[in-house]
Amino acid sequence: LDMDRLKAGDGKTATKNIEGIISDCKESLPSREGTIITLMDLKHSAPLDEDKLHESLFRRFSRTVRGEMKIYINGAILKEYEIEFIKRHPSKGYEEYELDDGNKIKYWYGITEKIIKPKKMQGFSILSRGKISQKPPFYFHVENTASHQVGTKYFMGEIIADYLDVGTDDESDLISADRQEIEWDNEATTALHDWGGVLTRRVLTERYKLMGEIVVKWVLDEEPELKKRIDILDPKTQVALKKVLRTLGASGAENKERVVRLADQVIQAYEYSHFDDVIMEIEKLADQDPIVLNELLGYMGEWRMMESRTILRLVEGRINITDKLGKFVAEGVPEVASKKSDDNLHDLLARMPWLLNPDWELLDEERTILKHLQEWNDTDFADPKHKLTTEEARLRYDFMGLSGSGKTIIIEIKRSSHALELHEIQRLEKYKELIARKTNDEVHAVLIYGGNANVTPTSIKGWNARDDFELIRWASVYERTKNHYENYRAVLEGDISHPDFKKKIEELRSYKKIDESGTVRRTKEERKKGLGS
């Protein structure tokens, strides 16, 4: 058939004779029987994808037809695709079914654990008399809802509906000329379409449940740390949690690492039970939409959890630095840097001033009394009452700061291995007096030492009996700061059974209760319970 010879001019019609040629078969032909169709001068300029052609032809003919003939592509036999199913119905062959209109069909379907990569292998194909009638992937138009979109890539099936291809006139012709699609607007196909929609929903629901159970089994059987955390929760919470895990499976479980990560986030939400609003949203989506549930969990991991984990990392960093202070004290590192070692107490405290006391704010370091007073605008040194002696002007403190109550603090530090001398205490007393006298501020003096002292215990006790003076050991500084942050360690490590963890949860609940109610008034039960944590 020469297309150019068959055409009339634009806008014209004509009768054309189709000329045939009858001749003997050529000796070079592979067989003296059969039909050869050759297409030439095609408009398709790009070469066809060989693998996709294999996939397309594999689903265009039923297994029965493929068994009665051989299909070659570029000399290679058509590939038989073997897909691993976690369920196939029936386990072998086809199941027969009679539609509401009396027509009989046969079908099978298989559900996979991983995505079926070739798109043409997904969903249903419908064949009539061995040939394709409805090209795959086809889902009887139920894939339009988000909850069903998830599972469509995880099953394939075949429906044999020979009755669609028995007509010989236009009225009974139910398949498009190119055999790509069935005429679903025709009453003769309504029963098949309705049954197919029910079947597709059933397959997607089965897949939903199967994958959900696989994910729960993963978590409980292969992730002992996650299972341990689930087992601690109360039975009602465990049921709700497993329901959410099943929904995670429905949204795609081929990436096991990702599923385990999302499962960890879900468990955290239930562990941190103050996330009541998040838990309600999770449980609601577990009943409705696995895609949006996945998105929500992703946002939790990226936003809410990121925020809280950032704070926890800050606390974790402070715990680690506090441990370094303990190490420095134990090793007796010098007060200031030296040629022998970079390790020194002064630089550590200057970089991390909260180590001295989390309630203090350090303002200055290594400043002479003269410089200090000049910067604080006390420049009237002409009056003998204000004039500093040369010795006083040279005096230099280690640190100056503010206490939580707003008092000025002058701090002197000595290496932990140094034995405290009386003149060192007296020098700190002089710092305190000079600054207090010149600025009229209430000044508190603190001297930190290792514990050994060439001063009587009675004298040390006397100094410490004062409200404005404190001689404190490095071990006490270390323990005080360590204890301030140590009760966060259980939260950092996710140890929900630890009393410190429970205290923090109770504290968060208290914040939320006051915030939501707008009042600090306690209930009778709360008054009876006594002080908060």
Side-chain angles (χ1 to χ4, degrees):
L1 303 179
D2 187 327
M3 290 294 293
D4 291 331
R5 292 183 63 186
L6 288 175
K7 291 178 180 178
D10 291 343
K12 296 178 181 180
T13 60
T15 300
K16 294 283 186 176
N17 293 324
I18 299 176
E19 299 174 2
I21 300 173
I22 299 174
S23 66
D24 292 333
C25 288
K26 297 177 181 178
E27 294 296 330
S28 61
L29 294 176
S31 172
R32 298 188 64 80
E33 293 181 351
T35 303
I36 294 175
I37 299 174
T38 304
L39 307 180
M40 296 179 293
D41 299 327
L42 301 180
K43 292 182 178 179
H44 200 291
S45 57
L48 297 175
D49 186 301
E50 190 172 331
D51 289 335
K52 289 183 178 178
L53 191 55
H54 273 278
E55 295 163 8
S56 178
L57 291 176
F58 175 77
R59 298 209 77 184
R60 278 187 168 271
F61 300 97
S62 69
R63 190 176 294 273
T64 302
V65 170
R66 295 200 308 272
E68 294 176 354
M69 66 178 182
K70 293 180 181 179
I71 303 173
Y72 295 87
I73 299 175
N74 288 348
I77 193 73
L78 183 66
K79 296 177 184 177
E80 287 288 324
Y81 287 87
E82 295 296 333
I83 295 177
E84 187 177 345
F85 299 118
I86 53 176
K87 178 180 179 179
R88 188 191 190 278
H89 179 84
S91 57
K92 291 182 180 180
Y94 295 85
E95 179 169 313
E96 295 188 2
Y97 185 83
E98 184 175 328
L99 300 173
D100 290 344
D101 61 4
N103 286 304
K104 293 181 179 179
I105 54 114
K106 296 190 295 183
Y107 73 96
W108 70 268
Y109 64 84
I111 298 170
T112 63
E113 181 177 321
K114 297 182 178 180
I115 290 177
I116 301 173
K117 292 293 184 182
K119 190 173 182 180
K120 289 180 180 177
M121 295 293 166
Q122 299 169 5
F124 283 112
S125 63
I126 303 176
L127 299 103
S128 306
R129 297 172 67 174
K131 301 182 293 295
I132 196 75
S133 300
Q134 176 73 51
K135 69 175 183 177
F138 185 64
Y139 306 102
F140 293 91
H141 308 109
V142 305
E143 74 276 16
N144 296 327
T145 58
S147 57
H148 283 125
Q149 284 177 5
V150 179
T152 53
K153 299 176 182 178
Y154 296 84
F155 86 89
M156 72 175 292
E158 194 175 84
I159 298 169
I160 306 296
D162 288 342
Y163 78 92
L164 296 174
D165 196 17
V166 295
T168 56
D169 57 9
D170 290 343
E171 290 296 322
S172 58
D173 190 359
L174 303 175
I175 306 168
S176 63
D178 60 356
R179 301 193 73 89
Q180 298 290 300
E181 189 173 13
I182 295 169
E183 292 187 10
W184 295 112
D185 293 335
N186 195 308
E187 284 187 15
T189 61
T190 300
L192 175 61
H193 190 273
D194 291 348
W195 169 83
V198 173
L199 174 65
T200 304
R201 289 186 183 90
R202 190 180 84 199
V203 172
L204 292 171
T205 301
E206 282 184 33
R207 187 247 159 210
Y208 184 105
K209 292 179 179 177
L210 281 169
M211 296 310 299
E213 293 306 321
I214 285 174
V215 166
V216 172
K217 193 172 188 307
W218 274 357
V219 173
L220 297 183
D221 293 354
E222 300 180 32
E223 299 294 330
E225 289 302 317
L226 294 184
K227 182 181 185 300
K228 180 181 176 183
R229 289 162 59 193
I230 293 173
D231 289 343
I232 293 173
L233 301 173
D234 63 89
K236 185 178 178 181
T237 301
Q238 288 187 36
V239 170
L241 176 58
K242 288 175 184 177
K243 181 179 179 181
V244 177
L245 293 178
R246 290 187 185 96
T247 306
L248 283 180
S251 62
E254 70 277 359
N255 188 336
K256 186 175 179 181
E257 183 180 335
R258 179 176 180 274
V259 170
V260 170
R261 187 174 68 252
L262 292 178
D264 173 54
Q265 292 176 6
V266 174
I267 295 168
Q268 276 195 36
Y270 280 91
E271 288 172 340
Y272 291 74
S273 52
H274 60 284
F275 281 147
D276 295 332
D277 53 341
V278 179
I279 290 174
M280 287 174 62
E281 190 69 17
I282 287 173
E283 292 180 349
K284 183 173 71 176
L285 289 171
D287 288 326
Q288 296 177 4
D289 198 329
I291 291 179
V292 182
L293 173 62
N294 265 262
E295 290 178 356
L296 173 68
L297 293 175
Y299 296 149
M300 281 175 57
E302 293 170 15
W303 297 340
R304 289 178 187 253
M305 297 305 179
M306 184 187 296
E307 180 183 2
S308 41
R309 282 174 180 166
T310 300
I311 296 169
L312 286 175
R313 285 195 190 103
L314 176 65
V315 175
E316 183 179 31
R318 291 200 168 194
I319 290 174
N320 292 338
I321 294 296
T322 304
D323 288 342
K324 182 176 281 292
L325 172 63
K327 180 173 177 286
F328 278 15
V329 171
E331 293 175 354
V333 300
E335 178 189 341
V336 294
S338 65
K339 293 181 180 180
K340 294 182 179 179
S341 174
D342 290 333
D343 290 344
N344 68 92
L345 289 168
H346 191 103
D347 284 343
L348 177 64
L349 297 175
R351 296 187 70 172
M352 305 290 170
W354 49 266
L355 279 166
L356 285 174
N357 189 321
D359 294 329
W360 292 352
E361 182 179 358
L362 296 192
L363 303 177
D364 215 338
E365 63 170 322
E366 292 193 308
R367 191 73 74 192
T368 63
I369 299 296
L370 176 61
K371 188 71 173 175
H372 175 94
L373 294 174
Q374 286 175 339
E375 289 184 356
W376 282 29
N377 298 318
D378 189 348
T379 56
D380 185 13
F381 299 120
D383 190 323
K385 293 181 181 179
H386 290 268
K387 191 171 180 63
L388 296 175
T389 66
T390 302
E391 181 187 354
E392 290 173 338
R394 290 176 178 171
L395 291 174
R396 178 192 300 268
Y397 56 74
D398 286 333
F399 296 100
M400 195 267 302
L402 292 175
S403 68
S405 60
K407 294 179 181 178
T408 300
I409 315 168
I410 300 299
I411 305 157
E412 279 290 290
I413 63 171
K414 301 297 175 186
R415 67 189 298 172
S416 58
S417 59
H418 174 75
L420 183 63
E421 300 289 346
L422 178 61
H423 68 85
E424 292 169 333
I425 303 174
Q426 292 170 334
R427 185 165 61 241
L428 177 60
E429 175 79 80
K430 187 173 287 188
Y431 295 166
K432 183 184 100 58
E433 284 300 316
L434 283 170
I435 292 174
R437 193 171 74 238
K438 298 294 184 182
T439 62
N440 292 320
D441 285 339
E442 188 176 353
V443 180
H444 190 86
V446 176
L447 194 153
I448 307 172
Y449 68 108
N452 295 324
N454 294 323
V455 183
T456 64
T458 304
S459 296
I460 290 177
K461 190 174 180 181
W463 288 102
N464 280 331
R466 291 168 48 178
D467 293 334
D468 61 349
F469 216 93
E470 182 180 15
L471 301 177
I472 185 171
R473 299 183 180 189
W474 277 114
S476 299
V477 172
Y478 167 67
E479 286 297 326
R480 178 176 61 193
T481 305
K482 179 184 175 184
N483 291 338
H484 183 83
Y485 294 106
E486 188 65 25
N487 57 3
Y488 286 95
R489 191 181 291 275
V491 180
L492 281 165
E493 296 173 352
D495 186 359
I496 62 173
S497 62
H498 196 284
D500 285 340
F501 189 101
K502 293 177 180 177
K503 284 179 183 178
K504 295 303 172 193
I505 293 298
E506 287 300 319
E507 185 179 339
L508 286 165
R509 284 177 178 160
S510 298
Y511 297 157
K512 185 173 182 180
K513 194 168 185 178
I514 292 173
D515 186 47
E516 289 180 349
S517 66
T519 179
V520 297
R521 186 186 181 95
R522 290 181 297 169
T523 63
K524 290 182 179 179
E525 291 75 17
E526 287 172 326
R527 285 197 187 93
K528 188 176 180 181
K529 190 176 179 181
L531 292 174
S533 58

